[in-house]
Amino acid sequence: MARKYFEVFRILIVGRANAGKTTILQRVCATTKRPKIFDGNGKEINVGMIEGSIDRGEHSIDNELIFSSNPGFIFHDSCGFEAGSVDEFNKMKDFVLDRATTSQLKKRIHAIWQVHFVYCIPLTDYNRPIVAAERKFFQDSSSCFYILVPVLVLLTKLDTLESNAYNELKNKGCSKERARELRSECAQQMLERLQVQIKSELGKTQFPPKNYVQLTNMHGNNADCRTLLDMTVTALDSVALQLLLVSTQQTNLHLCIEWAVKM
């Protein structure tokens, strides 16, 4: 793959294990293939040799994930720090501060999907939508990168709430048939309660996210990332970066037309 260091859009994606991060990136890049991985010096890494360590969150945040279908995006995946590891949190913070302020344009990060920062919260963790490490992420007063890089919170795996709703209805004494009839309505009510709770908790932090994006059915063939891309463009405070992101994404012609008219 020809490496492009200019006119690329860099995104750091952060989230708990099993939050669906890779699937989201695949959908953004319109592929089902795994990304190629390069180290900080641009040397390709044998994915087979590190695949197990990636699943355990032991990879390096400096590694670059690039999909052949759209090499205009370069992604970085932060090691999970939901367990509250101070070391992992500081590594992530140092990485963002360095990449947000570097004079080397080819290495600069443009977003924490908040873009330039993507933060994933799986709603399968229904009983603990916000954990301490995530609250710290938005509260830490030394994390001034929030001023430099916008952060979006992605609410993933919404479709699994129906299973939670079905079980909740069954536990309340509903028959299987009645639980199946009511699960969609119950799941919607659960989602609304969760959204209120999440926005309330993160809204009280010192550096709340720029916006929230709901992502459903990311494993489906017709998964739509337009809302995510649109909100990311909106979160950017530079017209040049907005144009860069719109031109880099290749999955939505309507988005290109819409932002071409706006600009």
Side-chain angles (χ1 to χ4, degrees):
M1 180 192 305
R3 299 301 312 285
K4 297 197 302 181
Y5 282 114
F6 294 94
E7 298 186 359
V8 295
F9 198 86
R10 275 181 198 269
I11 296 173
L12 169 64
I13 185 165
V14 177
R16 306 180 203 174
N18 198 36
K21 292 180 290 182
T22 300
T23 301
I24 292 169
L25 301 186
Q26 288 173 324
R27 288 293 175 259
V28 168
C29 293
T31 185
T32 56
K33 295 182 178 179
R34 303 282 289 183
K36 292 186 176 181
I37 302 177
F38 299 84
D39 65 19
N41 297 316
K43 182 179 179 181
E44 187 169 359
I45 299 172
N46 186 327
V47 178
M49 293 177 62
I50 65 170
E51 201 158 42
S53 64
I54 290 176
D55 292 338
R56 294 190 301 270
E58 297 171 3
H59 58 286
S60 172
I61 194 173
D62 287 302
N63 289 348
E64 300 176 346
L65 283 63
I66 301 177
F67 292 88
S68 299
S69 59
N70 192 344
F73 280 117
I74 295 180
F75 300 103
H76 294 269
D77 186 1
S78 175
C79 297
F81 51 85
E82 61 262 39
S85 169
V86 174
D87 183 53
E88 293 301 339
F89 182 87
N90 288 334
K91 283 181 183 177
M92 180 276 299
K93 184 171 64 175
D94 292 343
F95 172 83
V96 177
L97 287 173
D98 175 62
R99 292 304 186 95
T101 58
T102 179
S103 59
Q104 299 182 63
L105 297 181
K106 66 182 181 180
K107 294 208 177 266
R108 186 170 295 177
I109 189 171
H110 304 114
I112 297 171
W113 221 328
Q114 272 139 168
V115 176
H116 308 33
F117 203 103
V118 187
Y119 202 88
C120 301
I121 298 175
L123 292 185
T124 44
D125 290 352
Y126 180 68
N127 293 320
R128 55 175 198 131
I130 302 295
V131 295
E134 292 163 348
R135 194 175 293 106
K136 178 181 178 182
F137 179 86
F138 294 99
Q139 185 62 40
D140 192 276
S141 60
S142 65
S143 302
C144 60
F145 59 76
Y146 299 97
I147 301 172
L148 304 170
V149 179
V151 177
L152 273 65
V153 167
L154 312 188
L155 303 177
T156 65
K157 301 190 176 183
L158 305 179
D159 42 304
T160 63
L161 278 180
E162 287 211 5
S163 176
N164 292 357
Y166 177 82
N167 291 331
E168 185 174 289
L169 289 165
K170 284 280 292 166
N171 291 336
K172 289 181 177 179
C174 286
S175 66
K176 292 181 180 179
E177 293 74 16
R178 186 59 174 162
R180 280 194 290 268
E181 289 176 7
L182 297 176
R183 64 184 175 186
S184 293
E185 180 182 349
C186 182
Q188 182 61 37
Q189 293 171 353
M190 292 170 70
L191 173 59
E192 290 172 0
R193 292 197 300 268
L194 276 171
Q195 288 177 319
V196 170
Q197 182 181 349
I198 290 170
K199 290 182 180 181
S200 175
E201 288 194 44
L202 295 184
K204 296 173 184 176
T205 60
Q206 188 169 358
F207 305 99
K210 278 290 187 77
N211 216 325
Y212 301 82
V213 183
Q214 299 177 19
L215 296 177
T216 59
N217 194 29
M218 284 292 101
H219 288 283
N221 293 328
N222 298 318
D224 185 8
C225 290
R226 179 178 177 179
T227 301
L228 169 59
L229 293 168
D230 189 45
M231 287 192 175
T232 299
V233 176
T234 302
L236 298 169
D237 58 6
S238 163
V239 173
L241 287 179
Q242 290 177 331
L243 286 169
L244 175 58
L245 177 54
V246 170
S247 62
T248 298
Q249 68 85 28
Q250 301 173 5
T251 58
N252 199 300
L253 177 60
H254 294 294
L255 187 66
C256 293
I257 296 172
E258 177 184 336
W259 280 91
V261 171
K262 288 182 180 180
M263 296 173 181

